Amino acid sequence: QVQLVESGGGLVQAGGSLRLSCVGSGRAFSSSVMGWFRQAPGKEREFVSDITASGGSTYYADSVKGRFTISRDIAKNTVYLQMNSLKPEDTAVYYCAAALRIRAYSRASQYDYWGQGTQVTVSS
């Protein structure tokens, strides 16, 4: 079992920055792939970024590449999503997720545990 708690969402002006945090617990956390996904009203949940258990490899959606950075601190059991140059279209509820086993990155169906979500709103 893995429990995840996100924080760091809020309201920001376009062009601004936010850093989301996801703190995990459970014996399997350190061996889990971690991902960030987002969902806007009326839209499907979409992939944002994920990172391997060791933190050695990262993956990004084309829409956020160059603006967002995912990282993890193994000692703190925490995954971060640094979001820069935010745009109104980034507005969504952001979720972190953990996968005990994964066969394909960037797929929500691969993830086993999900956090409660944190709202990000970008104004123009």
Side-chain angles (χ1 to χ4, degrees), residues 12-18 67 83-87 122:
V12 297
Q13 183 76 31
S17 298
L18 285 173
R67 299 188 298 119
M83 305 185 294
N84 298 326
S85 301
L86 283 162
K87 305 174 181 179
V122 184

Side-chain angles (χ1 to χ4, degrees), residues 11-64:
L11 173 64
V12 297
Q13 183 76 31
S17 298
L18 285 173
R19 188 176 75 161
L20 306 183
S21 299
C22 177
V23 179
S25 62
R27 295 180 64 186
F29 178 80
S30 62
S31 61
S32 297
V33 172
M34 299 296 300
W36 287 98
F37 295 79
R38 66 188 183 186
Q39 187 168 24
K43 298 182 179 179
E44 295 183 348
R45 187 169 298 185
E46 66 174 345
F47 166 75
V48 176
S49 182
D50 48 21
I51 187 168
T52 56
S54 68
S57 297
T58 59
Y59 304 88
Y60 297 93
D62 289 343
S63 60
V64 306

Side-chain angles (χ1 to χ4, degrees), residues 74-89:
I74 303 299
K76 295 182 178 180
N77 294 330
T78 302
V79 179
Y80 303 97
L81 185 68
Q82 178 67 46
M83 305 185 294
N84 298 326
S85 301
L86 283 162
K87 305 174 181 179
E89 51 262 46

Side-chain angles (χ1 to χ4, degrees), residues 99-116:
L100 302 181
R101 296 182 63 185
I102 194 165
R103 294 181 295 276
Y105 293 92
S106 311
R107 300 286 190 272
S109 62
Q110 297 294 303
Y111 286 83
D112 304 293
Y113 300 97
W114 295 81
Q116 82 285 357

